[in-house]
Amino acid sequence: GFPWLQLVSAATGLEELHLSLRRPDVQDRWSGMFSSLAKALEKVSSLQIRTLQFEGLLFPAAAGTSLASIVRSCQRTLRDLSLNFADSDAEVDDDDFWQVLSSLSQLHALQLSGLRTSARSCQGLAQVLAANFETLQRLGLGAWTATSLLLPCSAVEAIEL
């Protein structure tokens, strides 16, 4: 596995966590990394993480639950969340992920790039924006994420076919 527990436990003053996997041959490791990181963060009570940034080529299809757990572990201090992936077939439809994002009280910046939207993710994003309208200062919706939000549902469905 990944040595997250030792790393996170040793870095008690850690305020920013940036993970980037750009090599095509390691994209299948995201799910394991998210899961291991989530378990490690749950065990550390003194987290001060203000910024989470994940960048890669392929967003793992089943990563929503682990990602929700990661955000939940940091929710007291998290201010900036960035998910930047190049794969337009990826989407975050996990209800738990959107509920956790909606529960953040001090979210200042949200960047979602390269994630395909669905009816559920649009609803989730709307909940996050409504819950954070007083604190959110930057919203970045890049690539397919922004484009699909601007198209009517029938146009998005036609593109997907």
Side-chain angles (χ1 to χ4, degrees):
F2 302 95
W4 293 117
L5 186 55
Q6 295 100 345
L7 178 67
V8 174
S9 296
T12 56
L14 183 68
E15 291 186 5
E16 295 187 18
L17 179 59
H18 300 258
L19 295 177
S20 179
L21 290 180
R22 294 290 181 180
R23 288 183 16 212
D25 60 319
V26 296
Q27 294 305 301
D28 61 337
R29 296 184 185 174
W30 275 113
S31 290
M33 285 180 51
F34 279 153
S35 179
S36 297
L37 180 58
K39 289 175 185 173
L41 292 176
E42 288 172 359
K43 294 178 182 179
V44 179
S45 61
S46 60
L47 287 175
Q48 299 295 317
I49 296 176
R50 299 173 58 87
T51 301
L52 284 173
Q53 182 176 6
F54 302 109
E55 295 181 24
L57 301 177
L58 302 172
F59 185 81
T65 301
S66 295
L67 197 51
S69 181
I70 291 169
V71 172
R72 186 179 297 108
S73 296
C74 304
Q75 75 183 57
R76 188 175 49 82
T77 57
L78 189 63
R79 303 294 180 263
D80 301 324
L81 176 63
S82 179
L83 300 175
N84 294 309
F85 288 85
D87 181 15
S88 62
D89 287 336
E91 58 185 74
V92 181
D93 274 350
D94 188 84
D95 287 339
D96 194 31
F97 173 74
W98 295 110
Q99 288 173 354
V100 169
L101 277 187
S102 296
S103 72
L104 296 175
S105 59
Q106 296 295 317
L107 188 62
H108 293 172
L110 178 61
Q111 171 73 36
L112 303 173
S113 182
L115 300 173
R116 190 172 56 139
T117 56
S118 64
R120 178 62 203 119
S121 60
C122 286
Q123 289 173 335
L125 182 57
Q127 291 172 341
V128 171
L129 295 177
N132 291 282
F133 76 94
E134 290 183 10
T135 60
L136 195 63
Q137 298 169 0
R138 289 186 322 265
L139 175 64
L141 301 174
W144 182 245
T145 306
T147 305
S148 61
L149 286 174
L150 298 174
L151 295 173
C153 288
S154 59
V156 173
E157 290 168 3
I159 290 172
E160 290 175 358
L161 299 174

